[in-house]
Amino acid sequence: MKSYHLLQMCAEPSENVSLLSLTAHGITNNYEKVSIILKCEQLEGPHTGEIVANNLNNILQDWGLSNESVHCISRDKGSNIMKAMSTANFPDTNCTIHQLQLCVRSATETEEFISPVVTKCKKIATHFHYSLIAQTELKQIQTERLNQTELCIVQDCSTR
């Protein structure tokens, strides 16, 4: 198996328990994606950058990995996590999924943004619901052109 190139670090509060997890991502010699959770542990006490960096270094040591073997750590934008990366001298980058979640949350909290989007989606769903030609064409695009399984349009119904 080829060496791992990306580490993903996640600190999430869950049921009043703070967790720190470190996952290694890589590819095999056959170019298959591999993800291994190296450790997921409870963080007690303050979550300072120094404490997080120390925990990450300990996890790497437990696995016999050096800091030089870390290509990049994907992380959220918490100031303590960013400080941990700096303290431990790890190459790091923002987690794209976390950034996307923040954007979606911000957008959905803005009524003037979400209302027109919901209205457009309902119009599209209604069009497919009433048009057999559109349903047939959508099915053909999904199955024949895109070689995907057929997915149905879900229509919003306030009574369900």
Side-chain angles (χ1 to χ4, degrees), residues 4-11 20-25 38 52-60 65-77 80-96:
Y4 293 102
H5 298 286
L6 173 69
L7 292 176
Q8 180 177 17
M9 198 266 312
C10 179
L20 176 70
S21 67
L22 188 64
T23 306
H25 301 280
L38 299 179
V52 172
N54 187 45
N55 280 291
L56 290 174
N57 281 320
N58 289 340
I59 293 170
L60 290 175
L65 299 170
S66 68
N67 286 19
E68 292 77 32
S69 67
V70 176
H71 175 70
C72 187
I73 293 186
S74 172
R75 49 129 183 97
D76 66 18
K77 290 182 75 173
N80 61 330
I81 303 303
M82 292 171 64
K83 174 71 173 169
M85 298 301 103
S86 174
T87 300
N89 200 27
F90 287 129
D92 62 306
T93 187
N94 290 329
C95 174
T96 304

Side-chain angles (χ1 to χ4, degrees), residues 27-45:
I27 55 171
T28 67
N29 290 332
N30 296 330
Y31 301 102
E32 297 169 344
K33 180 182 165 190
V34 178
S35 296
I36 300 172
I37 298 173
L38 299 179
K39 192 161 193 178
C40 181
E41 63 183 15
Q42 182 176 346
L43 278 180
E44 297 179 6

